Amino acid sequence: MKGANAITSKQMALYTFVCQTGIGVITLPTVLAKEVGHDGWISVIITGFIAIAVAALIVFLLKKSSDKGILDINKAIFGKVLGTGLNFLIFTYLLIATSAGTRAFLIFLRVSLFPLTPPIVMSLLVLMPSFYMVWYGLKTTARYKVFTIFSYAAVLVYIFILYKEVRLSFLMPVGEAGIEQLLYSIKASYFSFVGLELIAVFYAEITDKDKVLKWHVLANLFTMIFTAIITAASTAVFGENFIAVQTLALFNLFRIYNAMVLERVDLFMIAFWFFAMSCSVRAYMMASWYSLVKICKDKKSPIIYTIFIVLLLIISRIPRDVDQSFFFLDIVNYMGMGITILFILCLIISAIKTKGGKTHKKS
């Protein structure tokens, strides 16, 4: 399979991993400290195994249904009118998710590095590379995500350097929150795994589908491990009481270490992480544009793309401050859980209708 959207299962795995961790991991330690105290990392691990099971189920159903993505499957099993309606619902979710991520990204930039830059100027400067790459297709955005590996490596190295600041006593006793509270916190932890559903959107473009299950499971496993490390490290450095009153726990963690030559190490680390954040937002931007093109029957129009960008920017301006942005993200996360359930239901119906075969007609 060739074309601007053709990617490998390994590239899709990196796509999923970056999408899940780019933004959510910044605030998750604080959220979990409020829910389960110092046992947040346990909540992440429990939720991670659930997310892996859901991710495996989606891939299994995709393989049972056809070699197509959810957008084509919907039209095949529900007909043109209802199928297009469902696809438009998916596009709407993806567009709102992109806008919410964009707003959070811009607010984080403003709070951390550029407090005086007008938001509209910041929006255009930050999103211009994404607009360019998304126009040229999934393959371009997926290849660019390889560079985010340096961001994640830098964060892990930084946490290792902080070993003198870590107090393991802040993580004791293990499991103090109790089973009931840990299970209740799964909802908050699962928000960090929202993004695993994107594989259903892009499935038709993956060239080596025989390896999809392995790499999609690994993507969610890596998300679980990385998120658990960040949550545990933040709690072990700050303590559950202090971290519970913070807003941007990861960025505060970056401010702990001072180097003799580099001085403000936090500025370098935040800059590294903004690179990952931009790729996370771009993943949803690519998914929403890809969906719109599918709805428009593969007609990639500059005029439609311009309208798409303007609409994205308008929606991203709805939250006015940090609190509203977090509330907006929470709404999107709940929508993401709902969309995941919708995908699973559609794929089950597809598998039943085709009896596990691959007999969908071309839409």
Side-chain angles (χ1 to χ4, degrees):
M1 184 186 296
K2 297 180 180 179
N5 291 320
I7 59 172
T8 65
S9 56
K10 192 182 296 186
Q11 287 176 316
M12 186 67 228
L14 182 58
Y15 218 92
T16 300
F17 173 68
V18 174
C19 178
Q20 291 174 323
T21 55
I23 293 179
V25 75
I26 296 174
T27 58
L28 184 65
T30 296
V31 174
L32 290 180
K34 294 176 181 178
E35 294 274 350
V36 290
H38 58 266
D39 288 328
W41 62 277
I42 301 177
S43 176
V44 171
I45 291 175
I46 295 173
T47 309
F49 284 113
I50 294 174
I52 289 171
V54 173
L57 176 62
I58 290 176
V59 174
F60 175 78
L61 290 172
L62 283 166
K63 289 185 173 228
K64 281 287 185 181
S65 300
S66 72
D67 287 334
K68 297 180 180 180
I70 192 68
L71 300 168
D72 290 324
I73 290 173
N74 283 344
K75 291 181 70 175
I77 63 176
F78 295 115
K80 184 176 181 181
V81 177
L82 182 57
T84 301
L86 283 174
N87 289 345
F88 189 78
L89 177 65
I90 294 170
F91 160 72
T92 302
Y93 156 69
L94 293 170
L95 178 63
I96 293 175
T98 306
S99 300
T102 298
R103 188 56 176 165
F105 181 26
L106 295 175
I107 285 181
F108 290 160
L109 265 176
R110 194 168 191 182
V111 170
S112 303
L113 298 177
F114 304 107
L116 302 179
T117 306
I120 188 63
V121 175
M122 184 69 68
S123 299
L124 294 175
L125 289 176
V126 169
L127 295 177
M128 198 64 71
S130 295
F131 295 152
Y132 175 82
M133 283 186 277
V134 167
W135 173 257
Y136 281 98
L138 179 60
K139 181 185 291 186
T140 301
T141 58
R143 285 177 174 175
Y144 191 73
K145 278 179 173 50
V146 173
F147 295 104
T148 61
I149 293 175
F150 297 105
S151 300
Y152 291 94
V155 171
L156 293 176
V157 170
Y158 177 82
I159 289 176
F160 177 77
I161 292 174
L162 286 181
Y163 73 94
K164 290 185 179 179
E165 306 294 334
V166 171
R167 300 181 185 179
L168 293 180
S169 59
F170 282 165
L171 299 176
M172 303 294 178
V174 175
E176 184 181 34
I179 295 296
E180 184 178 350
Q181 196 61 30
L182 283 169
L183 293 177
Y184 181 79
S185 69
I186 286 175
K187 177 184 65 176
S189 295
Y190 189 82
F191 288 168
S192 293
F193 295 89
V194 170
L196 61 82
E197 76 281 358
L198 291 187
I199 193 168
V201 177
F202 296 132
Y203 186 72
E205 309 298 341
I206 299 175
T207 57
D208 52 343
K209 291 182 174 62
D210 56 314
K211 300 178 182 178
V212 171
L213 179 60
K214 178 184 75 172
W215 282 107
H216 197 47
V217 166
L218 285 175
N220 287 272
L221 178 62
F222 293 152
T223 296
M224 179 186 74
I225 294 172
F226 182 79
T227 306
I229 290 173
I230 297 298
T231 303
S234 300
T235 306
V237 170
F238 296 118
E240 62 183 277
N241 294 325
F242 184 33
I243 199 173
V245 298
Q246 298 182 25
T247 302
L248 309 179
L250 180 62
F251 290 173
N252 290 334
L253 190 66
F254 290 157
R255 296 186 173 97
I256 295 296
Y257 182 78
N258 290 313
M260 294 181 62
V261 177
L262 298 177
E263 294 189 33
R264 291 292 303 276
V265 176
D266 61 307
L267 297 180
F268 293 95
M269 295 304 302
I270 290 173
F272 266 119
W273 198 250
F274 276 137
F275 188 76
M277 285 183 65
S278 66
C279 286
S280 178
V281 173
R282 192 176 302 126
Y284 274 102
M285 188 183 299
M286 182 69 245
S288 56
W289 171 241
Y290 178 87
S291 301
L292 184 58
V293 172
K294 280 285 187 180
I295 293 171
C296 297
K297 298 181 179 180
D298 299 321
K299 293 181 180 178
K300 206 168 74 167
S301 166
I303 296 176
I304 295 178
Y305 191 54
T306 302
I307 296 173
F308 166 76
I309 291 173
V310 172
L311 189 58
L312 188 159
L313 292 174
I314 290 174
I315 298 175
S316 70
R317 294 292 297 157
I318 294 176
R320 309 305 300 177
D321 54 34
V322 175
D323 291 335
Q324 290 183 11
S325 294
F326 288 162
F327 180 71
F328 197 17
L329 280 174
D330 284 343
I331 293 175
V332 168
N333 286 328
Y334 281 114
M335 291 172 63
M337 294 171 70
I339 286 291
T340 301
I341 294 172
L342 175 64
F343 282 3
I344 292 173
L345 292 175
C346 291
L347 291 172
I348 290 174
I349 294 172
S350 174
I352 293 173
K353 279 194 170 185
T354 58
K355 296 181 181 179
K358 300 178 180 180
T359 58
H360 288 317
K361 295 180 182 179
K362 291 184 179 179
S363 56

